[in-house]
Amino acid sequence: MSKFSLEFEDVSFSYHHGEKAILEGLSFLVNEGEFVSIIGPSGSGKSTIFKLITGLEDHSGGKIAINGEVYGNRLGHVGYMPQQDLLMPWRTVLENAALPLEIQGATKTDARERVVKLLDQFGLKGVENKYPSDLSGGMKQRISFLRTVLSGSNVLLLDEPFSALDAITRLAMQEWLLDQWEKWKLSILFITHDVDEALFLSDRIFIFTEQPVRKFVEVTVPLGRPRGIRDIHSPEVLQVKEELIEQLRSKVKL
């Protein structure tokens, strides 16, 4: 396996031939087991990056590799967790979590047996027979994340998964996510508009600063691991936060 979980090499993309490019010769790497956040103004191309990685859109030039492999069809080679949980309301917690395993060809019995073994680790023990309408927002996101992990990939794309949660639940989910990331040894690419969230979670942060996107401004978070939420108030991190906010402010058009 490559030491890079994800590689973009001179990748270009536009939605229609002849239109202005969204990406133009973009190159970046995500290391194995790394947590990287992407921040930038709305419409800057963050979700486009995810569509290209998942294979929902195809790049017009360059190379995209996952774990060192270039696939003709990237669908199924990464796990994707959208902003909305997309849980099926007619399926129980257990049935929703088992869905990716069933799609991969596992029998319902085998899929559910595997999920049962993970319920406690994901904080879902005791609610496996409930339906999504009976659960809190944080609980729904735990199910969605479990389903993403069960995609089988070590590369996960999380698209603002906590943006709809209240502030206290959001902090609890951030801490929980870091715990799961460390246990599963995952590579995570995380889209957020929240600078504090990016600083707390990430090893590095990519900032969109131009259109079309040819490169990112890259910031290394000056925090070791393990870390706590209070650590983002250290002088070193506060300095980085000010720089990030200034970068973002300069790109916002009123």
Side-chain angles (χ1 to χ4, degrees):
M1 183 180 288
S2 168
K3 65 178 180 178
F4 301 121
S5 295
L6 181 65
E7 300 172 67
F8 266 47
E9 185 180 308
D10 294 323
V11 173
S12 296
F13 173 78
S14 60
Y15 279 103
H16 301 286
H17 182 70
E19 287 192 358
K20 182 180 178 182
I22 307 297
L23 310 180
E24 194 171 89
L26 177 65
S27 298
F28 69 87
L29 301 168
V30 175
N31 298 307
E32 190 177 312
E34 190 175 26
F35 199 124
V36 175
S37 287
I38 297 178
I39 61 176
S42 297
S44 57
K46 300 185 299 297
S47 293
T48 299
I49 295 279
F50 275 19
K51 288 177 182 177
L52 289 169
I53 296 169
T54 58
L56 293 173
E57 298 284 356
D58 201 14
H59 50 300
S60 56
K63 182 183 82 171
I64 298 174
I66 301 166
N67 295 316
E69 296 289 332
V70 176
Y71 297 97
N73 184 351
R74 291 182 296 284
L75 286 171
H77 291 286
V78 295
Y80 173 60
M81 181 176 170
Q83 186 172 346
Q84 291 77 29
D85 57 67
L86 301 183
L87 300 177
M88 297 178 176
W90 61 89
R91 293 182 72 127
T92 64
V93 168
L94 183 59
E95 291 166 344
N96 265 292
L99 185 60
L101 299 175
E102 293 174 23
I103 291 172
Q104 293 165 26
T107 65
K108 287 186 177 181
T109 299
D110 288 344
R112 293 177 190 184
E113 284 180 357
R114 184 173 170 191
V115 170
V116 165
K117 295 176 182 177
L118 296 171
L119 290 173
D120 192 36
Q121 180 177 337
F122 282 77
L124 299 169
K125 189 79 169 178
V127 300
E128 57 266 34
N129 295 318
K130 291 184 179 292
Y131 290 88
S133 59
D134 301 322
L135 304 175
S136 66
M139 196 72 74
K140 291 177 184 178
Q141 292 302 77
R142 288 173 186 255
I143 303 164
S144 185
F145 185 72
L146 172 55
R147 198 162 61 177
T148 305
V149 168
L150 289 173
S151 68
S153 176
N154 66 311
V155 181
L156 302 190
L157 312 177
L158 309 186
D159 190 352
E160 296 192 78
F162 306 143
S163 61
L165 302 178
D166 65 84
I168 300 301
T169 303
R170 185 168 183 159
L171 285 174
M173 289 301 297
Q174 290 167 4
E175 292 174 329
W176 178 82
L177 175 60
L178 281 186
D179 186 49
Q180 297 303 316
W181 167 69
E182 290 170 355
K183 285 179 181 176
W184 288 83
K185 310 298 183 187
L186 299 164
S187 301
I188 291 181
L189 202 56
F190 188 97
I191 289 177
T192 181
H193 284 94
D194 188 322
V195 172
D196 284 343
E197 183 171 64
L199 288 166
F200 177 51
L201 294 173
S202 311
D203 297 306
R204 289 187 293 153
I205 300 171
F206 295 159
I207 310 162
F208 281 77
T209 59
E210 58 183 12
Q211 191 83 31
V213 182
R214 299 181 180 89
K215 62 180 179 179
F216 298 128
V217 171
E218 181 183 318
V219 172
T220 299
V221 178
L223 283 177
R225 298 188 188 274
R227 62 181 65 162
I229 193 65
R230 291 182 178 84
D231 294 331
I232 67 170
H233 301 299
S234 70
E236 296 85 359
V237 178
L238 289 175
Q239 177 62 37
V240 172
K241 179 179 177 179
E242 287 301 316
E243 293 170 3
L244 286 172
I245 291 173
E246 192 58 39
Q247 288 277 358
L248 293 169
R249 185 184 291 126
S250 68
K251 301 301 172 184
V252 173
K253 296 179 181 178
L254 299 177

